[in-house]
Amino acid sequence: MINSDSSSKDGKYLSDASKALVCERLCNEIQVYKFILNASINLSKKQVHESLEELKLSCPAVAEATSCMALLPDITEKLRLNRGYDKHVELDRSGGQISVGRGVYKLPTSKT
């Protein structure tokens, strides 16, 4: 992870504490990323494994987690307005899944 803080040794890298904070703040995004990797049909199992291993090097605690402290934000209306989803697309954050056509996808859970 890159940092432009001139007080760091070479001005480019985050401290371990800063890196952990960034990973924590990106927890939901990382959980969705893991979900997308595991649901992909264009990546081999080896490629998925390699990507998850790289993630563990950057954000070990969050990479191993299955949920986050913060809830996923409800962006249903924003998606409908800005992405052009039609009435056949059901976006249901409260039910913990997204339904598109005949596909139903479980969302990562958040700690309560």
Side-chain angles (χ1 to χ4, degrees):
M1 292 186 182
I2 305 284
N3 179 16
S4 61
D5 179 6
S6 61
S7 65
S8 68
K9 201 180 334 178
D10 57 9
K12 292 198 282 190
Y13 297 97
L14 292 173
S15 67
D16 289 342
S18 294
K19 202 182 333 183
L21 184 60
V22 169
C23 291
E24 179 185 321
R25 298 285 191 225
L26 293 174
C27 183
N28 282 315
E29 288 79 1
I30 291 170
Q31 300 311 312
V32 171
Y33 172 68
K34 292 185 330 187
F35 171 79
I36 291 168
L37 278 176
N38 285 307
S40 67
I41 59 172
N42 63 332
L43 298 174
S44 69
K45 288 182 181 187
K46 180 182 177 192
Q47 290 171 314
V48 170
H49 178 75
E50 288 172 356
S51 294
L52 292 172
E53 289 301 312
E54 289 172 6
L55 178 60
K56 287 178 189 176
L57 292 174
S58 297
C59 295
V62 177
E64 295 291 333
T66 57
S67 62
C68 304
M69 295 299 288
L71 291 173
L72 281 169
D74 186 356
I75 60 168
T76 304
E77 201 54 35
K78 181 178 179 181
L79 289 172
R80 286 194 194 288
L81 294 173
N82 298 312
R83 297 280 174 97
Y85 286 114
D86 62 28
K87 60 186 173 189
H88 298 93
V89 176
E90 179 185 324
L91 303 168
D92 182 12
R93 184 185 149 286
S94 62
Q97 63 188 24
I98 297 175
S99 301
V100 180
R102 288 180 284 176
V104 177
Y105 306 96
K106 188 174 190 276
L107 293 173
T109 58
S110 297
K111 294 179 183 174
T112 54

